[in-house]
Amino acid sequence: MKIERVHLPHIGLRIIKSAVGVLICFVIYFLRGKQGTPFYSALAVLWCIQNQTKNTVNNAIQRTIGTFIGAVYGLIYILLKQNVFNFGDSFLHYCIISLALIPIIYTTVVIKQKKASYFSCVVFLSIVVNHLLDENPYIFVLNRSLDTLIGIFVGLILNSISLHGKLDKETLFVVNMDNSMDGLAGGVTPYSKVIMNGMLEKGMNLTFMTLRTPAGFLEGMPDIKPALPIIAMDGAILYDVKENRYPKVYIISAEHAGEIEKFITERGFNIFTTVILEDVLIIYHSELVNDAEKDIYEKMHKSPYRNYLNKQRPDDHAVVYMMSIDKTEKIEKLVGEIKESDVYDELKILSYPSREYRGYSYIKIYNKNASVKNMRDYLMNAEEFKKVVTLSDNERNKADYKYSSCDEMVRKMRRLFFNSKM
Protein backbone atom coordinates (compact mmCIF):
# COMPACT_ATOMS: atom_id res chain seq x y z
CA MET A 1 0.00 0.00 0.00
CA LYS A 2 1.33 3.39 -0.99
CA ILE A 3 1.68 5.82 1.90
CA GLU A 4 1.35 9.45 0.96
CA ARG A 5 3.61 11.98 2.63
CA VAL A 6 1.86 14.51 4.80
CA HIS A 7 3.00 18.07 4.09
CA LEU A 8 2.55 20.19 7.18
CA PRO A 9 2.25 23.96 6.66
CA HIS A 10 5.15 26.18 7.63
CA ILE A 11 5.08 28.24 10.80
CA GLY A 12 4.23 31.62 9.31
CA LEU A 13 5.38 35.07 10.31
CA ARG A 14 1.96 35.91 11.74
CA ILE A 15 2.28 33.07 14.26
CA ILE A 16 5.74 34.23 15.32
CA LYS A 17 4.64 37.88 15.55
CA SER A 18 1.65 36.86 17.68
CA ALA A 19 3.86 35.10 20.23
CA VAL A 20 6.38 37.96 20.25
CA GLY A 21 3.57 40.51 20.64
CA VAL A 22 2.14 38.76 23.70
CA LEU A 23 5.64 38.55 25.21
CA ILE A 24 6.17 42.28 24.67
CA CYS A 25 2.85 42.99 26.44
CA PHE A 26 4.04 40.97 29.45
CA VAL A 27 7.35 42.84 29.45
CA ILE A 28 5.49 46.18 29.45
CA TYR A 29 3.35 44.91 32.33
CA PHE A 30 6.47 44.29 34.43
CA LEU A 31 7.99 47.64 33.40
CA ARG A 32 4.79 49.32 34.66
CA GLY A 33 5.31 47.74 38.05
CA LYS A 34 2.63 45.12 37.42
CA GLN A 35 -0.06 47.78 37.00
CA GLY A 36 -3.10 46.83 34.96
CA THR A 37 -4.05 43.44 33.52
CA PRO A 38 -1.73 42.08 30.76
CA PHE A 39 -4.48 39.65 29.70
CA TYR A 40 -6.31 42.50 27.95
CA SER A 41 -3.13 43.72 26.25
CA ALA A 42 -2.49 40.18 24.98
CA LEU A 43 -6.03 39.90 23.59
CA ALA A 44 -5.68 43.22 21.78
CA VAL A 45 -2.33 42.37 20.19
CA LEU A 46 -3.61 38.96 19.01
CA TRP A 47 -6.65 40.62 17.47
CA CYS A 48 -4.62 43.29 15.70
CA ILE A 49 -1.85 41.16 14.19
CA GLN A 50 -3.02 40.18 10.70
CA ASN A 51 -1.49 38.92 7.47
CA GLN A 52 -2.26 42.22 5.77
CA THR A 53 -1.40 45.65 7.13
CA LYS A 54 -4.75 47.16 6.15
CA ASN A 55 -6.52 44.49 8.23
CA THR A 56 -4.28 45.33 11.20
CA VAL A 57 -5.18 49.02 10.99
CA ASN A 58 -8.90 48.27 10.61
CA ASN A 59 -8.85 45.91 13.57
CA ALA A 60 -6.91 48.43 15.65
CA ILE A 61 -9.48 51.14 14.89
CA GLN A 62 -12.38 48.82 15.76
CA ARG A 63 -10.73 47.75 18.99
CA THR A 64 -9.93 51.34 20.02
CA ILE A 65 -13.46 52.59 19.33
CA GLY A 66 -14.99 49.57 21.05
CA THR A 67 -12.77 50.04 24.11
CA PHE A 68 -13.66 53.72 24.41
CA ILE A 69 -17.43 53.14 24.12
CA GLY A 70 -17.40 50.22 26.57
CA ALA A 71 -15.25 52.14 29.07
CA VAL A 72 -17.51 55.21 28.96
CA TYR A 73 -20.67 53.18 29.54
CA GLY A 74 -18.92 51.18 32.25
CA LEU A 75 -17.89 54.36 34.05
CA ILE A 76 -21.44 55.76 33.79
CA TYR A 77 -22.82 52.57 35.28
CA ILE A 78 -20.32 52.70 38.15
CA LEU A 79 -21.31 56.30 38.98
CA LEU A 80 -25.01 55.50 38.89
CA LYS A 81 -24.66 52.40 41.06
CA GLN A 82 -22.51 54.07 43.65
CA ASN A 83 -24.42 57.35 43.88
CA VAL A 84 -28.01 56.67 42.79
CA PHE A 85 -28.92 53.00 43.04
CA ASN A 86 -28.02 50.56 45.77
CA PHE A 87 -29.15 47.09 44.79
CA GLY A 88 -25.87 45.25 45.54
CA ASP A 89 -25.19 41.94 43.84
CA SER A 90 -28.87 41.20 43.25
CA PHE A 91 -30.60 39.76 40.21
CA LEU A 92 -31.78 43.27 39.34
CA HIS A 93 -28.12 44.29 39.01
CA TYR A 94 -27.61 41.70 36.24
CA CYS A 95 -30.89 42.57 34.54
CA ILE A 96 -29.81 46.21 34.27
CA ILE A 97 -26.39 45.13 32.92
CA SER A 98 -28.11 43.08 30.21
CA LEU A 99 -30.42 45.95 29.25
CA ALA A 100 -27.45 48.34 29.16
CA LEU A 101 -26.08 46.40 26.19
CA ILE A 102 -28.89 47.82 24.05
CA PRO A 103 -27.69 51.46 24.10
CA ILE A 104 -24.07 50.28 23.80
CA ILE A 105 -24.72 48.36 20.60
CA TYR A 106 -27.05 51.09 19.33
CA THR A 107 -24.26 53.64 19.80
CA THR A 108 -21.97 51.67 17.48
CA VAL A 109 -24.78 51.56 14.91
CA VAL A 110 -25.38 55.33 15.11
CA ILE A 111 -21.69 56.17 14.63
CA LYS A 112 -21.47 53.55 11.83
CA GLN A 113 -18.99 51.34 13.65
CA LYS A 114 -21.02 48.13 13.91
CA LYS A 115 -17.90 45.96 13.95
CA ALA A 116 -16.85 47.61 17.20
CA SER A 117 -20.03 46.53 19.02
CA TYR A 118 -18.54 43.24 20.23
CA PHE A 119 -15.52 44.97 21.81
CA SER A 120 -17.74 47.63 23.38
CA CYS A 121 -19.82 44.96 25.07
CA VAL A 122 -16.78 42.96 26.20
CA VAL A 123 -15.13 46.01 27.80
CA PHE A 124 -18.38 47.08 29.47
CA LEU A 125 -19.05 43.61 30.89
CA SER A 126 -15.47 43.20 32.10
CA ILE A 127 -15.88 46.43 34.10
CA VAL A 128 -19.36 46.01 35.56
CA VAL A 129 -19.32 42.24 36.17
CA ASN A 130 -15.79 41.49 37.35
CA HIS A 131 -14.53 44.73 38.85
CA LEU A 132 -17.49 46.76 40.04
CA LEU A 133 -16.76 45.90 43.68
CA ASP A 134 -13.06 46.86 43.48
CA GLU A 135 -11.92 49.48 45.99
CA ASN A 136 -11.31 51.90 43.15
CA PRO A 137 -13.13 50.80 39.98
CA TYR A 138 -12.14 54.07 38.29
CA ILE A 139 -8.52 52.90 38.29
CA PHE A 140 -9.62 49.67 36.65
CA VAL A 141 -11.48 51.56 33.91
CA LEU A 142 -8.34 53.58 33.24
CA ASN A 143 -6.06 50.54 33.30
CA ARG A 144 -8.49 48.52 31.18
CA SER A 145 -8.39 51.16 28.47
CA LEU A 146 -4.63 51.58 28.75
CA ASP A 147 -4.02 47.81 28.60
CA THR A 148 -5.99 47.56 25.36
CA LEU A 149 -4.24 50.55 23.80
CA ILE A 150 -0.85 48.99 24.68
CA GLY A 151 -1.83 45.80 22.85
CA ILE A 152 -3.09 47.76 19.84
CA PHE A 153 0.10 49.81 19.67
CA VAL A 154 2.31 46.70 19.91
CA GLY A 155 0.28 44.98 17.17
CA LEU A 156 0.56 47.94 14.81
CA ILE A 157 4.31 48.21 15.34
CA LEU A 158 4.95 44.47 14.83
CA ASN A 159 2.84 44.27 11.69
CA SER A 160 4.69 47.22 10.16
CA ILE A 161 8.05 45.46 10.58
CA SER A 162 9.34 43.60 7.51
CA LEU A 163 11.98 40.93 8.00
CA HIS A 164 12.64 40.55 4.29
CA GLY A 165 15.08 42.16 1.92
CA LYS A 166 14.29 44.77 -0.69
CA LEU A 167 10.98 44.11 -2.41
CA ASP A 168 11.14 43.45 -6.15
CA LYS A 169 8.76 46.05 -7.58
CA GLU A 170 10.46 46.25 -10.97
CA THR A 171 9.51 42.75 -12.15
CA LEU A 172 6.22 41.69 -13.71
CA PHE A 173 5.09 38.34 -12.27
CA VAL A 174 2.79 36.42 -14.63
CA VAL A 175 1.19 33.32 -13.10
CA ASN A 176 -1.00 30.53 -14.44
CA MET A 177 -3.17 28.71 -11.89
CA ASP A 178 -5.71 27.01 -14.15
CA ASN A 179 -5.03 23.56 -12.68
CA SER A 180 -5.28 24.90 -9.15
CA MET A 181 -8.58 26.66 -9.93
CA ASP A 182 -9.84 23.30 -11.24
CA GLY A 183 -9.01 21.71 -7.89
CA LEU A 184 -5.79 20.10 -9.13
CA ALA A 185 -2.24 20.86 -7.94
CA GLY A 186 -3.58 20.91 -4.40
CA GLY A 187 -6.15 23.57 -5.26
CA VAL A 188 -5.90 27.25 -4.41
CA THR A 189 -5.40 26.91 -0.67
CA PRO A 190 -6.19 29.53 2.00
CA TYR A 191 -2.42 29.77 2.57
CA SER A 192 -1.81 30.70 -1.08
CA LYS A 193 -4.59 33.29 -1.04
CA VAL A 194 -3.26 34.93 2.11
CA ILE A 195 0.33 35.06 0.79
CA MET A 196 -0.72 36.45 -2.61
CA ASN A 197 -2.95 39.11 -1.07
CA GLY A 198 -0.12 40.06 1.29
CA MET A 199 2.29 40.50 -1.62
CA LEU A 200 -0.28 42.47 -3.62
CA GLU A 201 -0.74 44.80 -0.67
CA LYS A 202 3.02 45.36 -0.57
CA GLY A 203 3.05 46.39 -4.22
CA MET A 204 3.85 43.17 -6.10
CA ASN A 205 3.30 43.54 -9.86
CA LEU A 206 1.25 40.36 -10.21
CA THR A 207 -1.02 39.30 -13.02
CA PHE A 208 -2.46 35.99 -14.21
CA MET A 209 -2.53 34.19 -17.53
CA THR A 210 -5.46 31.86 -18.04
CA LEU A 211 -7.36 29.90 -20.65
CA ARG A 212 -10.52 30.89 -18.85
CA THR A 213 -12.82 33.77 -19.61
CA PRO A 214 -12.75 36.67 -17.12
CA ALA A 215 -15.86 35.15 -15.54
CA GLY A 216 -14.09 31.84 -15.10
CA PHE A 217 -11.14 33.54 -13.45
CA LEU A 218 -13.32 35.59 -11.08
CA GLU A 219 -15.16 32.43 -10.02
CA GLY A 220 -11.93 30.49 -9.58
CA MET A 221 -10.13 33.30 -7.72
CA PRO A 222 -12.86 35.23 -5.90
CA ASP A 223 -10.55 36.45 -3.13
CA ILE A 224 -7.70 37.72 -5.32
CA LYS A 225 -7.94 41.19 -6.88
CA PRO A 226 -4.73 41.99 -8.80
CA ALA A 227 -4.09 45.65 -9.55
CA LEU A 228 -2.85 44.79 -13.05
CA PRO A 229 -5.16 43.47 -15.80
CA ILE A 230 -5.22 39.68 -16.18
CA ILE A 231 -4.39 37.92 -19.45
CA ALA A 232 -7.51 35.88 -20.22
CA MET A 233 -8.71 33.56 -22.98
CA ASP A 234 -5.14 32.46 -23.72
CA GLY A 235 -4.07 35.98 -24.60
CA ALA A 236 -7.16 37.17 -26.49
CA ILE A 237 -7.98 39.87 -23.95
CA LEU A 238 -6.65 41.87 -21.04
CA TYR A 239 -9.25 42.23 -18.29
CA ASP A 240 -9.02 44.83 -15.53
CA VAL A 241 -10.60 43.14 -12.50
CA LYS A 242 -10.99 46.29 -10.42
CA GLU A 243 -12.35 48.51 -13.19
CA ASN A 244 -14.31 45.75 -14.97
CA ARG A 245 -13.04 46.80 -18.39
CA TYR A 246 -10.96 45.41 -21.26
CA PRO A 247 -7.95 47.65 -22.03
CA LYS A 248 -6.65 45.39 -24.84
CA VAL A 249 -8.51 42.93 -27.09
CA TYR A 250 -7.53 40.88 -30.15
CA ILE A 251 -10.64 40.44 -32.27
CA ILE A 252 -11.83 38.44 -35.24
CA SER A 253 -13.56 40.80 -37.65
CA ALA A 254 -17.33 40.58 -37.88
CA GLU A 255 -17.17 39.48 -41.52
CA HIS A 256 -14.58 36.78 -40.89
CA ALA A 257 -16.48 35.56 -37.81
CA GLY A 258 -19.59 35.15 -39.96
CA GLU A 259 -17.66 32.92 -42.38
CA ILE A 260 -16.38 30.78 -39.52
CA GLU A 261 -19.82 30.46 -37.92
CA LYS A 262 -21.34 29.38 -41.24
CA PHE A 263 -18.54 26.84 -41.82
CA ILE A 264 -18.99 25.26 -38.37
CA THR A 265 -22.80 25.29 -38.13
CA GLU A 266 -23.13 23.74 -41.59
CA ARG A 267 -21.33 20.70 -40.14
CA GLY A 268 -23.87 20.29 -37.35
CA PHE A 269 -22.06 22.01 -34.49
CA ASN A 270 -23.34 24.63 -32.10
CA ILE A 271 -20.88 27.43 -31.44
CA PHE A 272 -20.60 29.78 -28.47
CA THR A 273 -19.49 33.15 -29.84
CA THR A 274 -18.14 35.73 -27.38
CA VAL A 275 -18.19 39.46 -28.11
CA ILE A 276 -17.42 42.50 -25.96
CA LEU A 277 -19.71 45.50 -26.28
CA GLU A 278 -18.89 48.57 -24.18
CA ASP A 279 -16.99 46.42 -21.68
CA VAL A 280 -19.85 43.91 -21.41
CA LEU A 281 -19.11 40.29 -22.31
CA ILE A 282 -21.92 38.63 -24.32
CA ILE A 283 -22.05 35.00 -25.46
CA TYR A 284 -24.28 34.18 -28.44
CA HIS A 285 -25.35 30.62 -29.17
CA SER A 286 -27.96 28.66 -31.11
CA GLU A 287 -29.98 25.63 -29.95
CA LEU A 288 -27.80 23.37 -27.78
CA VAL A 289 -26.97 20.06 -29.44
CA ASN A 290 -25.20 17.68 -27.06
CA ASP A 291 -25.21 16.86 -23.34
CA ALA A 292 -21.84 18.53 -22.65
CA GLU A 293 -22.81 21.96 -23.97
CA LYS A 294 -26.21 21.73 -22.30
CA ASP A 295 -24.49 21.05 -18.98
CA ILE A 296 -22.02 23.88 -19.55
CA TYR A 297 -24.87 26.27 -20.23
CA GLU A 298 -26.80 25.16 -17.11
CA LYS A 299 -23.74 25.72 -14.94
CA MET A 300 -22.63 29.00 -16.48
CA HIS A 301 -25.64 31.02 -17.55
CA LYS A 302 -26.71 31.92 -13.98
CA SER A 303 -23.36 33.58 -13.31
CA PRO A 304 -23.50 37.37 -12.85
CA TYR A 305 -20.30 37.60 -14.90
CA ARG A 306 -21.76 36.06 -18.07
CA ASN A 307 -24.51 37.10 -20.44
CA TYR A 308 -25.83 34.29 -22.67
CA LEU A 309 -28.15 35.06 -25.58
CA ASN A 310 -29.88 32.34 -27.57
CA LYS A 311 -29.85 34.26 -30.84
CA GLN A 312 -27.70 34.94 -33.85
CA ARG A 313 -24.80 37.33 -33.40
CA PRO A 314 -25.47 40.72 -35.07
CA ASP A 315 -23.57 40.93 -38.34
CA ASP A 316 -21.62 44.03 -37.30
CA HIS A 317 -20.27 42.65 -33.98
CA ALA A 318 -16.61 41.62 -34.02
CA VAL A 319 -15.72 38.47 -32.08
CA VAL A 320 -13.17 37.79 -29.37
CA TYR A 321 -13.52 34.04 -28.96
CA MET A 322 -15.45 31.10 -30.38
CA MET A 323 -15.90 27.71 -28.72
CA SER A 324 -17.53 24.38 -29.49
CA ILE A 325 -17.56 21.11 -27.58
CA ASP A 326 -18.46 17.72 -29.05
CA LYS A 327 -17.29 14.12 -29.33
CA THR A 328 -13.51 14.01 -29.67
CA GLU A 329 -13.50 12.36 -33.10
CA LYS A 330 -15.91 14.97 -34.47
CA ILE A 331 -13.86 17.86 -33.06
CA GLU A 332 -10.62 16.42 -34.46
CA LYS A 333 -12.23 16.16 -37.89
CA LEU A 334 -13.56 19.72 -37.64
CA VAL A 335 -10.13 21.09 -36.71
CA GLY A 336 -8.61 19.40 -39.75
CA GLU A 337 -11.29 20.76 -42.06
CA ILE A 338 -10.90 24.31 -40.74
CA LYS A 339 -7.13 24.23 -41.21
CA GLU A 340 -7.57 23.15 -44.81
CA SER A 341 -10.23 25.76 -45.57
CA ASP A 342 -10.19 29.42 -46.54
CA VAL A 343 -11.59 30.48 -43.14
CA TYR A 344 -8.39 29.41 -41.34
CA ASP A 345 -6.56 32.55 -42.43
CA GLU A 346 -5.66 34.85 -39.48
CA LEU A 347 -6.85 32.36 -36.84
CA LYS A 348 -5.38 30.58 -33.83
CA ILE A 349 -7.01 27.26 -32.95
CA LEU A 350 -6.73 25.30 -29.71
CA SER A 351 -8.18 21.81 -29.35
CA TYR A 352 -7.90 19.52 -26.35
CA PRO A 353 -9.86 16.80 -24.49
CA SER A 354 -12.31 17.86 -21.81
CA ARG A 355 -11.59 16.86 -18.20
CA GLU A 356 -15.22 17.16 -17.15
CA TYR A 357 -16.90 15.37 -20.06
CA ARG A 358 -15.41 12.04 -20.95
CA GLY A 359 -15.07 11.42 -24.68
CA TYR A 360 -15.58 15.11 -25.51
CA SER A 361 -13.10 17.71 -26.72
CA TYR A 362 -13.06 21.48 -27.11
CA ILE A 363 -12.20 23.63 -30.08
CA LYS A 364 -11.41 27.26 -29.29
CA ILE A 365 -10.83 29.86 -31.98
CA TYR A 366 -9.06 33.22 -31.57
CA ASN A 367 -7.38 35.93 -33.61
CA LYS A 368 -3.92 34.62 -34.60
CA ASN A 369 -2.25 37.43 -32.62
CA ALA A 370 -3.97 36.41 -29.42
CA SER A 371 -1.15 35.11 -27.23
CA VAL A 372 0.08 35.37 -23.66
CA LYS A 373 3.42 36.65 -24.97
CA ASN A 374 1.85 39.51 -26.92
CA MET A 375 -0.28 40.58 -23.97
CA ARG A 376 2.68 40.22 -21.62
CA ASP A 377 4.78 42.43 -23.90
CA TYR A 378 1.94 44.96 -24.02
CA LEU A 379 1.88 45.13 -20.21
CA MET A 380 5.66 45.36 -20.04
CA ASN A 381 5.67 48.37 -22.36
CA ALA A 382 2.63 50.05 -20.82
CA GLU A 383 3.91 49.81 -17.25
CA GLU A 384 7.65 50.00 -18.07
CA PHE A 385 8.67 46.91 -16.14
CA LYS A 386 12.33 45.93 -16.35
CA LYS A 387 11.82 42.16 -16.53
CA VAL A 388 9.18 39.45 -16.38
CA VAL A 389 8.97 36.15 -14.49
CA THR A 390 6.41 33.49 -15.41
CA LEU A 391 5.18 30.65 -13.20
CA SER A 392 2.69 27.89 -13.97
CA ASP A 393 1.02 24.91 -12.31
CA ASN A 394 0.66 22.96 -15.58
CA GLU A 395 2.79 21.73 -18.45
CA ARG A 396 0.84 23.46 -21.24
CA ASN A 397 2.23 26.90 -20.49
CA LYS A 398 5.76 27.96 -21.28
CA ALA A 399 7.03 29.33 -17.99
CA ASP A 400 10.26 30.06 -16.14
CA TYR A 401 9.08 27.97 -13.18
CA LYS A 402 6.64 25.05 -13.18
CA TYR A 403 5.21 23.39 -10.09
CA SER A 404 2.72 20.61 -9.44
CA SER A 405 1.64 22.27 -6.19
CA CYS A 406 -0.01 25.67 -5.92
CA ASP A 407 1.53 26.28 -2.49
CA GLU A 408 5.04 25.49 -3.76
CA MET A 409 4.58 27.92 -6.64
CA VAL A 410 3.33 30.66 -4.31
CA ARG A 411 6.28 30.11 -1.99
CA LYS A 412 8.62 30.53 -4.98
CA MET A 413 6.82 33.76 -5.93
CA ARG A 414 7.25 34.95 -2.36
CA ARG A 415 10.99 34.23 -2.35
CA LEU A 416 11.46 36.04 -5.65
CA PHE A 417 9.43 39.06 -4.59
CA PHE A 418 11.14 39.41 -1.21
CA ASN A 419 14.57 38.63 -2.67
CA SER A 420 14.86 35.85 -0.12
CA LYS A 421 16.93 32.66 -0.32
CA MET A 422 14.83 30.94 2.33
Side-chain angles (χ1 to χ4, degrees):
M1 183 178 68
K2 184 179 178 181
I3 301 177
E4 294 186 2
R5 294 177 60 188
V6 177
H7 296 279
L8 296 175
H10 292 276
I11 296 177
L13 194 56
R14 179 184 177 185
I15 297 174
I16 297 172
K17 285 184 176 181
S18 297
V20 172
V22 171
L23 176 59
I24 292 173
C25 290
F26 290 147
V27 169
I28 294 174
Y29 168 66
F30 276 91
L31 292 176
R32 291 175 62 202
K34 295 187 178 180
Q35 295 293 316
T37 308
F39 171 74
Y40 297 116
S41 298
L43 286 183
V45 78
L46 290 173
W47 177 258
C48 287
I49 289 180
Q50 298 289 322
N51 289 296
Q52 298 183 51
T53 304
K54 64 179 181 181
N55 290 342
T56 297
V57 175
N58 290 337
N59 287 353
I61 293 172
Q62 293 167 24
R63 190 86 193 197
T64 302
I65 294 172
T67 298
F68 177 76
I69 293 173
V72 168
Y73 274 97
L75 184 59
I76 292 172
Y77 187 82
I78 290 173
L79 293 172
L80 290 174
K81 191 166 188 304
Q82 289 185 346
N83 300 294
V84 180
F85 307 109
N86 187 17
F87 37 75
D89 195 32
S90 65
F91 181 68
L92 179 59
H93 163 62
Y94 294 101
C95 288
I96 295 175
I97 288 175
S98 301
L99 291 174
L101 296 177
I102 295 174
I104 292 173
I105 297 173
Y106 185 68
T107 299
T108 64
V109 173
V110 170
I111 66 174
K112 297 182 180 180
Q113 293 292 335
K114 295 180 182 179
K115 292 183 179 179
S117 62
Y118 170 76
F119 309 115
S120 301
C121 294
V122 168
V123 172
F124 173 76
L125 291 172
S126 70
I127 293 171
V128 301
V129 174
N130 294 328
H131 298 275
L132 188 63
L133 300 178
D134 289 359
E135 288 186 11
N136 194 337
Y138 306 103
I139 296 298
F140 173 75
V141 172
L142 178 62
N143 281 329
R144 176 68 176 83
S145 302
L146 182 58
D147 290 333
T148 300
L149 292 174
I150 288 171
I152 291 170
F153 179 75
V154 171
L156 287 172
I157 293 298
L158 283 177
N159 244 38
S160 66
I161 296 174
S162 176
L163 302 179
H164 305 283
K166 183 181 177 182
L167 304 181
D168 185 355
K169 296 185 179 182
E170 297 181 343
T171 296
L172 172 64
F173 292 87
V174 184
V175 183
N176 180 280
M177 289 188 171
D178 281 353
N179 277 358
S180 299
M181 286 189 283
D182 287 336
L184 305 174
V188 184
T189 64
Y191 166 84
S192 293
K193 294 176 184 178
V194 167
I195 296 300
M196 283 190 287
N197 276 323
M199 291 188 293
L200 283 168
E201 184 192 346
K202 287 179 169 60
M204 183 184 202
N205 298 309
L206 173 64
T207 188
F208 295 84
M209 51 184 174
T210 177
L211 263 176
R212 298 176 174 221
T213 62
F217 175 84
L218 291 171
E219 291 162 352
M221 287 281 206
D223 303 318
I224 307 297
K225 297 293 185 289
L228 294 172
I230 64 166
I231 302 170
M233 297 182 182
D234 203 44
I237 64 172
L238 276 182
Y239 174 65
D240 190 321
V241 175
K242 291 187 175 181
E243 299 294 330
N244 188 29
R245 65 185 187 87
Y246 302 85
K248 177 71 173 175
V249 180
Y250 287 108
I251 62 169
I252 301 170
S253 70
E255 182 180 359
H256 194 187
E259 296 172 354
I260 300 166
E261 287 169 332
K262 180 180 179 182
F263 186 92
I264 292 176
T265 54
E266 283 179 348
R267 285 156 177 78
F269 295 87
N270 176 45
I271 184 166
F272 293 96
T273 303
T274 300
V275 305
I276 296 175
L277 295 176
E278 298 182 358
D279 287 327
V280 176
L281 191 145
I282 301 172
I283 304 169
Y284 295 99
H285 67 94
S286 57
E287 292 302 319
L288 305 177
V289 177
N290 58 59
D291 293 337
E293 61 189 16
K294 289 177 182 178
D295 190 59
I296 289 172
Y297 174 79
E298 285 302 316
K299 289 179 179 178
M300 302 298 186
H301 84 282
K302 297 177 183 178
S303 166
Y305 304 115
R306 297 178 176 88
N307 301 281
Y308 280 87
L309 291 178
N310 183 9
K311 60 184 295 185
Q312 185 176 349
R313 173 188 59 85
D315 292 339
D316 60 341
H317 289 183
V319 171
V320 176
Y321 160 74
M322 309 170 89
M323 186 274 284
S324 289
I325 183 170
D326 214 311
K327 293 292 185 179
T328 296
E329 58 273 16
K330 293 179 65 177
I331 291 293
E332 289 176 348
K333 181 180 179 182
L334 176 63
V335 170
E337 290 178 349
I338 291 176
K339 289 184 176 181
E340 293 176 359
S341 71
D342 294 336
V343 300
Y344 183 56
D345 187 40
E346 302 294 316
L347 298 180
K348 179 179 92 171
I349 294 180
L350 293 181
S351 179
Y352 55 91
S354 168
R355 288 177 182 156
E356 302 89 349
Y357 309 104
R358 195 169 184 178
Y360 284 81
S361 287
Y362 293 97
I363 179 174
K364 297 183 177 182
I365 302 171
Y366 311 88
N367 179 298
K368 74 170 185 178
N369 294 317
S371 71
V372 170
K373 182 181 182 305
N374 285 345
M375 286 301 190
R376 189 182 68 201
D377 292 344
Y378 174 85
L379 276 177
M380 289 282 290
N381 293 329
E383 302 292 337
E384 298 183 350
F385 296 120
K386 291 189 176 181
K387 66 175 182 176
V388 62
V389 172
T390 54
L391 303 96
S392 177
D393 65 0
N394 63 76
E395 292 299 322
R396 198 190 74 82
N397 291 100
K398 293 181 179 179
D400 300 316
Y401 302 97
K402 294 185 179 182
Y403 293 91
S404 59
S405 163
C406 178
D407 283 355
E408 288 180 11
M409 184 167 64
V410 170
R411 280 194 284 270
K412 179 62 177 179
M413 290 164 53
R414 191 170 183 268
R415 289 195 295 271
L416 292 171
F417 178 61
F418 288 112
N419 287 298
S420 171
K421 296 181 180 179
M422 295 175 59

